[in-house]
Short mmCIF file of all heavy atoms in Angstrom, two decimals:
data_model
loop_
_atom_site.label_atom_id
_atom_site.label_comp_id
_atom_site.label_asym_id
_atom_site.label_seq_id
_atom_site.Cartn_x
_atom_site.Cartn_y
_atom_site.Cartn_z
N MET A 1 0.77 -1.21 -0.02
CA MET A 1 0.02 0.01 0.00
C MET A 1 0.86 1.25 -0.01
O MET A 1 0.59 2.23 -0.73
CB MET A 1 -0.89 0.02 1.23
CG MET A 1 -1.82 1.21 1.30
SD MET A 1 -2.80 1.37 2.82
CE MET A 1 -1.44 2.04 3.91
N CYS A 2 1.90 1.24 0.85
CA CYS A 2 2.78 2.43 0.85
C CYS A 2 3.47 2.67 -0.47
O CYS A 2 3.63 3.79 -0.88
CB CYS A 2 3.81 2.28 2.03
SG CYS A 2 3.09 2.41 3.69
N ARG A 3 3.94 1.60 -1.14
CA ARG A 3 4.55 1.76 -2.42
C ARG A 3 3.56 2.38 -3.40
O ARG A 3 3.97 3.25 -4.20
CB ARG A 3 5.06 0.41 -2.94
CG ARG A 3 6.31 -0.11 -2.25
CD ARG A 3 6.96 -1.30 -2.99
NE ARG A 3 6.05 -2.42 -3.13
CZ ARG A 3 6.03 -3.40 -2.21
NH1 ARG A 3 6.78 -3.37 -1.14
NH2 ARG A 3 5.18 -4.41 -2.41
N HIS A 4 2.33 1.91 -3.39
CA HIS A 4 1.34 2.44 -4.29
C HIS A 4 1.10 3.92 -4.03
O HIS A 4 1.04 4.77 -4.93
CB HIS A 4 0.07 1.64 -4.18
CG HIS A 4 -1.09 2.20 -5.06
ND1 HIS A 4 -1.21 1.92 -6.40
CD2 HIS A 4 -2.10 3.05 -4.73
CE1 HIS A 4 -2.23 2.61 -6.87
NE2 HIS A 4 -2.80 3.28 -5.94
N MET A 5 0.95 4.26 -2.73
CA MET A 5 0.66 5.66 -2.36
C MET A 5 1.78 6.55 -2.76
O MET A 5 1.63 7.69 -3.18
CB MET A 5 0.33 5.75 -0.83
CG MET A 5 -0.95 5.14 -0.46
SD MET A 5 -1.16 5.02 1.35
CE MET A 5 -1.10 6.80 1.79
N ALA A 6 3.02 6.05 -2.53
CA ALA A 6 4.20 6.87 -2.92
C ALA A 6 4.22 7.19 -4.39
O ALA A 6 4.51 8.31 -4.80
CB ALA A 6 5.48 6.11 -2.47
N GLY A 7 3.86 6.13 -5.17
CA GLY A 7 3.81 6.40 -6.65
C GLY A 7 2.75 7.38 -7.05
O GLY A 7 2.83 8.00 -8.10
N ARG A 8 1.74 7.54 -6.23
CA ARG A 8 0.65 8.41 -6.58
C ARG A 8 0.79 9.75 -5.83
O ARG A 8 -0.09 10.67 -5.98
CB ARG A 8 -0.69 7.79 -6.16
CG ARG A 8 -0.99 6.44 -6.86
CD ARG A 8 -1.56 6.69 -8.26
NE ARG A 8 -2.88 7.25 -8.13
CZ ARG A 8 -3.52 7.81 -9.12
NH1 ARG A 8 -2.99 7.96 -10.27
NH2 ARG A 8 -4.81 8.28 -8.96
N GLY A 9 1.81 9.94 -5.04
CA GLY A 9 1.95 11.17 -4.28
C GLY A 9 0.93 11.39 -3.19
O GLY A 9 0.64 12.55 -2.82
N ILE A 10 0.45 10.30 -2.64
CA ILE A 10 -0.59 10.33 -1.54
C ILE A 10 0.09 10.11 -0.21
O ILE A 10 0.91 9.18 -0.09
CB ILE A 10 -1.70 9.32 -1.83
CG1 ILE A 10 -2.41 9.65 -3.11
CG2 ILE A 10 -2.69 9.33 -0.66
CD1 ILE A 10 -3.41 8.54 -3.54
N ARG A 11 -0.25 10.90 0.75
CA ARG A 11 0.34 10.79 2.07
C ARG A 11 -0.58 10.31 3.20
O ARG A 11 -0.09 9.98 4.28
CB ARG A 11 0.97 12.13 2.50
CG ARG A 11 2.26 12.49 1.74
CD ARG A 11 3.02 13.56 2.46
NE ARG A 11 4.43 13.65 1.93
CZ ARG A 11 5.36 14.34 2.53
NH1 ARG A 11 5.05 15.02 3.61
NH2 ARG A 11 6.54 14.37 2.02
N VAL A 12 -1.88 10.31 2.98
CA VAL A 12 -2.81 10.03 4.01
C VAL A 12 -3.69 8.83 3.54
O VAL A 12 -4.22 8.83 2.42
CB VAL A 12 -3.65 11.22 4.39
CG1 VAL A 12 -4.84 10.80 5.29
CG2 VAL A 12 -2.83 12.30 5.04
N ALA A 13 -3.92 7.89 4.46
CA ALA A 13 -4.82 6.75 4.22
C ALA A 13 -5.74 6.57 5.35
O ALA A 13 -5.38 6.58 6.53
CB ALA A 13 -4.05 5.41 3.94
N LEU A 14 -7.08 6.51 5.06
CA LEU A 14 -8.07 6.25 6.14
C LEU A 14 -8.26 4.77 6.26
O LEU A 14 -8.07 3.95 5.33
CB LEU A 14 -9.42 6.89 5.72
CG LEU A 14 -9.41 8.37 5.30
CD1 LEU A 14 -10.87 8.84 5.11
CD2 LEU A 14 -8.70 9.23 6.35
N THR A 15 -8.58 4.35 7.47
CA THR A 15 -8.82 2.95 7.78
C THR A 15 -10.20 2.77 8.40
O THR A 15 -10.90 3.73 8.74
CB THR A 15 -7.77 2.38 8.75
OG1 THR A 15 -8.12 2.80 10.17
CG2 THR A 15 -6.39 2.92 8.41
N GLY A 16 -10.65 1.51 8.59
CA GLY A 16 -11.83 1.14 9.32
C GLY A 16 -11.52 0.73 10.72
O GLY A 16 -12.36 0.30 11.46
N GLU A 17 -10.29 1.02 11.23
CA GLU A 17 -9.85 0.66 12.56
C GLU A 17 -10.79 1.32 13.56
O GLU A 17 -11.15 2.48 13.46
CB GLU A 17 -8.47 1.15 12.78
CG GLU A 17 -8.00 1.40 14.23
CD GLU A 17 -7.93 0.12 15.09
OE1 GLU A 17 -7.76 -0.95 14.49
OE2 GLU A 17 -7.91 0.25 16.33
N GLY A 18 -11.21 0.53 14.55
CA GLY A 18 -12.07 1.06 15.62
C GLY A 18 -13.53 0.67 15.47
O GLY A 18 -14.30 0.66 16.41
N GLY A 19 -13.94 0.27 14.20
CA GLY A 19 -15.31 -0.15 13.99
C GLY A 19 -15.70 -1.35 14.89
O GLY A 19 -16.76 -1.37 15.51
N ASP A 20 -14.85 -2.33 14.92
CA ASP A 20 -15.14 -3.53 15.73
C ASP A 20 -15.18 -3.17 17.19
O ASP A 20 -16.05 -3.60 17.92
CB ASP A 20 -14.10 -4.62 15.51
CG ASP A 20 -14.18 -5.30 14.19
OD1 ASP A 20 -15.29 -5.21 13.56
OD2 ASP A 20 -13.23 -5.90 13.71
N ASP A 21 -14.23 -2.35 17.61
CA ASP A 21 -14.10 -2.01 19.06
C ASP A 21 -15.35 -1.23 19.57
O ASP A 21 -15.88 -1.47 20.67
CB ASP A 21 -12.84 -1.25 19.36
CG ASP A 21 -11.63 -2.07 19.11
OD1 ASP A 21 -11.64 -3.31 19.33
OD2 ASP A 21 -10.58 -1.48 18.69
N TRP A 22 -15.77 -0.26 18.79
CA TRP A 22 -16.82 0.65 19.25
C TRP A 22 -18.24 0.21 18.90
O TRP A 22 -19.18 0.52 19.65
CB TRP A 22 -16.60 2.06 18.69
CG TRP A 22 -15.44 2.77 19.26
CD1 TRP A 22 -14.27 3.09 18.63
CD2 TRP A 22 -15.31 3.28 20.55
NE1 TRP A 22 -13.48 3.75 19.53
CE2 TRP A 22 -14.01 3.82 20.73
CE3 TRP A 22 -16.19 3.25 21.73
CZ2 TRP A 22 -13.62 4.41 21.89
CZ3 TRP A 22 -15.70 3.77 22.87
CH2 TRP A 22 -14.46 4.36 22.97
N LEU A 23 -18.39 -0.56 17.89
CA LEU A 23 -19.74 -0.74 17.33
C LEU A 23 -20.26 -2.18 17.41
O LEU A 23 -21.48 -2.40 17.19
CB LEU A 23 -19.78 -0.25 15.83
CG LEU A 23 -19.65 1.20 15.61
CD1 LEU A 23 -19.28 1.54 14.21
CD2 LEU A 23 -20.91 1.88 16.04
N ALA A 24 -19.42 -3.16 17.66
CA ALA A 24 -19.84 -4.57 17.74
C ALA A 24 -20.84 -4.82 18.82
O ALA A 24 -21.80 -5.58 18.66
CB ALA A 24 -18.70 -5.51 17.83
N GLY A 25 -20.71 -4.06 19.86
CA GLY A 25 -21.70 -4.18 20.97
C GLY A 25 -21.49 -5.41 21.86
O GLY A 25 -20.75 -6.35 21.57
N SER A 26 -22.24 -5.41 22.97
CA SER A 26 -22.23 -6.56 23.91
C SER A 26 -23.54 -6.47 24.69
O SER A 26 -24.38 -5.64 24.39
CB SER A 26 -21.03 -6.48 24.80
OG SER A 26 -21.19 -5.36 25.70
N ARG A 27 -23.58 -7.28 25.76
CA ARG A 27 -24.79 -7.15 26.62
C ARG A 27 -24.32 -6.68 28.00
O ARG A 27 -24.95 -7.01 29.01
CB ARG A 27 -25.46 -8.55 26.70
CG ARG A 27 -25.96 -9.01 25.41
CD ARG A 27 -26.81 -10.28 25.47
NE ARG A 27 -27.14 -10.70 24.14
CZ ARG A 27 -26.59 -11.69 23.44
NH1 ARG A 27 -25.56 -12.39 24.01
NH2 ARG A 27 -26.87 -11.94 22.21
N ALA A 28 -23.31 -5.83 28.01
CA ALA A 28 -22.80 -5.24 29.24
C ALA A 28 -23.77 -4.27 29.86
O ALA A 28 -23.66 -3.90 31.04
CB ALA A 28 -21.46 -4.54 29.03
N HIS A 29 -24.82 -3.86 29.04
CA HIS A 29 -25.83 -2.98 29.66
C HIS A 29 -26.94 -3.77 30.38
O HIS A 29 -27.76 -3.15 31.07
CB HIS A 29 -26.48 -2.14 28.55
CG HIS A 29 -27.20 -2.97 27.53
ND1 HIS A 29 -26.58 -3.81 26.62
CD2 HIS A 29 -28.57 -3.03 27.22
CE1 HIS A 29 -27.48 -4.35 25.81
NE2 HIS A 29 -28.66 -3.91 26.18
N TRP A 30 -26.96 -5.07 30.23
CA TRP A 30 -27.97 -5.83 30.96
C TRP A 30 -27.91 -5.72 32.43
O TRP A 30 -28.93 -5.51 33.12
CB TRP A 30 -27.90 -7.34 30.47
CG TRP A 30 -28.56 -7.60 29.19
CD1 TRP A 30 -28.92 -6.67 28.24
CD2 TRP A 30 -28.95 -8.88 28.71
NE1 TRP A 30 -29.50 -7.31 27.15
CE2 TRP A 30 -29.55 -8.66 27.38
CE3 TRP A 30 -28.87 -10.21 29.15
CZ2 TRP A 30 -30.03 -9.72 26.63
CZ3 TRP A 30 -29.34 -11.21 28.36
CH2 TRP A 30 -29.94 -11.03 27.15
N PRO A 31 -26.69 -5.79 33.07
CA PRO A 31 -26.71 -5.52 34.50
C PRO A 31 -27.25 -4.12 34.90
O PRO A 31 -27.89 -4.02 35.96
CB PRO A 31 -25.17 -5.65 34.86
CG PRO A 31 -24.63 -6.52 33.82
CD PRO A 31 -25.37 -6.18 32.57
N ASP A 32 -27.01 -3.15 34.06
CA ASP A 32 -27.58 -1.82 34.37
C ASP A 32 -29.08 -1.84 34.27
O ASP A 32 -29.84 -1.26 35.17
CB ASP A 32 -27.12 -0.80 33.34
CG ASP A 32 -25.60 -0.50 33.51
OD1 ASP A 32 -25.22 -0.15 34.66
OD2 ASP A 32 -24.81 -0.64 32.53
N LEU A 33 -29.71 -2.51 33.32
CA LEU A 33 -31.13 -2.64 33.29
C LEU A 33 -31.70 -3.36 34.52
O LEU A 33 -32.72 -2.96 35.03
CB LEU A 33 -31.53 -3.43 31.99
CG LEU A 33 -31.25 -2.74 30.63
CD1 LEU A 33 -31.64 -3.67 29.50
CD2 LEU A 33 -31.93 -1.42 30.54
N LEU A 34 -30.97 -4.39 34.94
CA LEU A 34 -31.44 -5.10 36.12
C LEU A 34 -31.39 -4.24 37.35
O LEU A 34 -32.31 -4.17 38.19
CB LEU A 34 -30.59 -6.39 36.31
CG LEU A 34 -30.98 -7.30 37.49
CD1 LEU A 34 -32.35 -7.90 37.25
CD2 LEU A 34 -29.93 -8.44 37.63
N ARG A 35 -30.27 -3.51 37.58
CA ARG A 35 -30.11 -2.64 38.71
C ARG A 35 -31.10 -1.54 38.78
O ARG A 35 -31.55 -1.13 39.82
CB ARG A 35 -28.70 -2.07 38.78
CG ARG A 35 -27.61 -3.00 39.12
CD ARG A 35 -26.28 -2.37 39.41
NE ARG A 35 -25.77 -1.57 38.22
CZ ARG A 35 -24.59 -1.03 38.19
NH1 ARG A 35 -23.80 -1.08 39.25
NH2 ARG A 35 -24.21 -0.30 37.16
N ARG A 36 -31.49 -1.03 37.58
CA ARG A 36 -32.41 0.07 37.50
C ARG A 36 -33.88 -0.30 37.45
O ARG A 36 -34.76 0.54 37.25
CB ARG A 36 -32.05 0.94 36.27
CG ARG A 36 -30.68 1.60 36.39
CD ARG A 36 -30.10 1.97 35.02
NE ARG A 36 -30.92 2.98 34.38
CZ ARG A 36 -30.70 3.40 33.08
NH1 ARG A 36 -29.65 2.83 32.40
NH2 ARG A 36 -31.48 4.31 32.53
N GLY A 37 -34.13 -1.60 37.61
CA GLY A 37 -35.53 -2.04 37.57
C GLY A 37 -36.13 -2.02 36.25
O GLY A 37 -37.41 -2.06 36.15
#
């Protein structure tokens, strides 16, 4: 990828990093629902 970008004169690349971490979700809110009735 870096070789290709260098040939095109591009210095910045965006990624999808963080999508799994922030958006995959879990059921960690279930204890909150239980505690709050």
Side-chain angles (χ1 to χ4, degrees):
M1 183 189 77
C2 287
R3 286 194 298 270
H4 176 82
M5 290 172 61
R8 300 278 290 165
I10 297 174
R11 286 195 163 192
V12 170
L14 307 186
T15 80
E17 158 68 22
D20 287 341
D21 294 329
W22 288 112
L23 291 162
S26 71
R27 299 188 184 100
H29 64 293
W30 280 16
D32 291 306
L33 294 177
L34 183 63
R35 287 191 302 187
R36 294 159 62 186

